[in-house]
Amino acid sequence: MNDMRVPVLVEHAPSPSAPASVARRPPPPSAAGPRIAAVRCALPPHRYAQHELTGPIGDLCLSPGADRALLHRVHASAGVRTRHLALPIERYARLGDFGRSNGAWLETGLELGEEALSGALREAGLTPADVDLLVFASITGVAAPSLDARLAGRMGLRPDVKRLPLFGLGCVAGAAGLARVHDHLLGHPEDTAVLLTVELCSLTLQRGDASRANLVAGALFGDGAAALVARGGNTDGVNTDDGGSGSASGSGSGSGSGTVAPASGPRVVATRSHLYPGTEGLLGWEIGAAGFRVVIDAGVPDIVRGHFGRHLCAFLAEHELTVDDIGTWICHPGGPRILSAVSETLGLSEDALDRSRRSLAAVGNMSSVSVLHILEDVRARRAPEPGTWGLLLAMGPGFCSELVLLRW
């Protein structure tokens, strides 16, 4: 990870202290906007304590006899206690080229994707035939037909299901994918939409690469999948046992499940995307013969401190909210330094990002899956009181950020 001079950015958002008239004010959202009906994660069975992985990852990345002091420091400071890997750790040395790694991504990704999607639909009281839109995100493997297309026939999705595969968004894709689901459901309020994310980050680890970025990735990232089911505002209380598709539009031929989960999830109120010009080299992949070589620059926390907070506060101000109005924070756990930068910039209470730190400790940074893992935790524990505002946020390659305003 090389030090860099943080670029000077051209600001387009007003500061939080600017008069309200400066900010763009969208019309008030409908009370019957899209609602999150279910979230379910699936984790590989190969679970390791962090200290169990330090030695084997060192063997993969470092030459024999190399100094391992940096490796041990990075693993100890990553904020990770345990992680799940796509394969048993001893198999990684035998993966060889990118083709074999990508093949493992496809095989394991199909299994985890099906588990997450099946679980989320069951939780929502729906069947695969009820799905009108499937958004799929991954940045740790590639396939054509895409993984979502392969799952469609395997799981019994309708032949006319709309699909939107996303690549290149990285860690931000969990938030950005939810935002695009929201966009679709605003225009199709009778529909059911699913966001599926599959990230097998361990399969991108570069063997023989002793760079700091590769060592950080080897200490921080974990594997998993997640599925989120969202329903349009016109579906609340709709029973799907009428022999239709579960969509009031009647566009499909699904069997329907006959039950609908209680409307207990939050509504998506608004979203905001933001690109930071001149920061393209901060985060992403260098793609070559060996596959995906990670790029993680030391300047990322500085961008968060210098610019992200202003854009977030301006977004909230458009809805007559401040940071203090947010009762539930669902922040992508990019790493301890990123979480600290977000907390310091926004002046959050010490426990505001505890869910993010808990997720990081339990499963590592799972790229786009992580915000959905945290949202699942929010739903599994005591749900926020009705009327509570929430903010789901993530950052990723671009460099970019995505904000999703929620209300329970």
Side-chain angles (χ1 to χ4, degrees):
M1 188 188 305
N2 297 320
D3 292 334
M4 66 167 285
R5 179 174 297 174
V6 178
V8 176
L9 305 185
V10 177
E11 295 296 334
H12 301 288
S15 70
S17 58
S21 60
V22 175
R24 292 173 290 171
R25 283 195 176 278
S30 167
R35 185 185 293 278
I36 296 172
V39 185
R40 186 63 61 91
C41 289
L43 302 172
H46 314 294
R47 181 175 181 266
Y48 296 92
Q50 180 80 326
H51 68 84
E52 295 177 297
L53 295 175
T54 305
I57 288 176
D59 293 340
L60 288 170
C61 299
L62 303 178
S63 58
D67 183 4
R68 297 198 173 195
L70 175 60
L71 172 77
H72 285 279
R73 287 198 303 273
V74 170
H75 274 245
S77 63
V80 177
R81 289 198 304 268
T82 56
R83 282 182 283 165
H84 295 251
L85 303 186
L87 305 173
I89 186 60
E90 61 271 13
R91 283 190 55 188
Y92 286 81
R94 303 196 299 270
L95 278 176
D97 61 15
F98 172 61
R100 294 182 66 180
S101 297
N102 199 65
W105 170 84
L106 182 58
E107 179 181 355
T108 303
L110 282 169
E111 295 172 0
L112 292 176
E114 182 174 9
E115 180 183 345
L117 182 51
S118 297
L121 289 172
R122 280 196 306 270
E123 181 185 333
L126 300 170
T127 72
D130 294 315
V131 178
D132 300 293
L133 171 71
L134 175 58
V135 177
F136 169 68
S138 182
I139 200 174
T140 53
V142 292
S146 53
L147 190 147
D148 54 292
R150 298 171 192 238
L151 280 176
R154 177 167 166 162
M155 293 188 62
L157 275 70
R158 300 197 315 267
D160 68 343
V161 66
K162 300 177 182 71
R163 298 184 299 109
L164 182 60
L166 304 175
F167 180 84
L169 290 171
C171 295
V172 83
L178 176 55
R180 302 294 77 78
V181 162
H182 163 265
D183 295 344
H184 173 84
L185 292 177
L186 283 182
H188 301 82
E190 296 85 12
D191 277 9
T192 294
V194 172
L195 168 64
L196 175 64
T197 64
V198 176
E199 301 291 11
L200 305 182
C201 308
S202 66
L203 295 172
T204 69
L205 189 69
Q206 295 294 295
R207 290 166 288 281
D209 180 357
S211 67
R212 186 180 180 90
N214 195 51
L215 296 183
V216 168
L220 193 60
F221 288 99
D223 298 341
L228 177 148
V229 178
R231 310 203 73 202
N234 290 356
T235 63
D236 279 358
V238 172
N239 190 293
T240 59
D241 62 1
D242 59 357
S245 67
S247 168
S249 65
S251 60
S253 57
S255 62
S257 62
T259 60
V260 175
S264 60
R267 291 198 184 277
V268 181
V269 176
T271 71
R272 175 59 50 81
S273 305
H274 196 92
L275 277 167
Y276 298 84
T279 62
E280 293 87 351
L282 286 180
L283 194 65
W285 296 125
E286 291 178 355
I287 301 176
F292 301 131
R293 185 175 185 271
V294 71
V295 175
I296 306 175
D297 197 280
V300 172
D302 294 326
I303 294 294
V304 174
R305 290 188 177 92
H307 306 280
F308 173 69
R310 281 200 294 277
H311 296 129
L312 184 150
C313 291
F315 171 62
L316 292 180
E318 292 175 13
H319 300 276
E320 300 182 350
L321 299 171
T322 69
V323 167
D324 292 337
D325 293 313
I326 303 301
T328 300
W329 292 89
I330 301 167
C331 176
H332 173 70
R337 292 182 63 210
I338 299 297
L339 290 175
S340 294
V342 171
S343 183
E344 293 166 10
T345 299
L346 300 178
L348 300 180
S349 64
E350 290 186 6
D351 61 350
L353 301 185
D354 277 357
R355 293 182 182 90
S356 298
R357 295 187 177 91
R358 202 160 51 229
S359 175
L360 182 64
V363 294
N365 178 343
M366 296 189 293
S367 190
S368 64
V369 175
S370 283
V371 288
L372 303 185
H373 182 259
I374 299 166
L375 183 57
E376 182 187 43
D377 179 66
V378 171
R379 290 171 58 84
R381 297 171 184 265
R382 184 177 178 180
E385 294 293 329
T388 299
W389 290 99
L391 192 65
L392 185 148
L393 59 107
M395 290 159 275
F399 183 74
C400 67
S401 62
E402 195 83 29
L403 307 173
V404 180
L405 183 63
L406 306 172
R407 196 170 199 188
W408 272 263

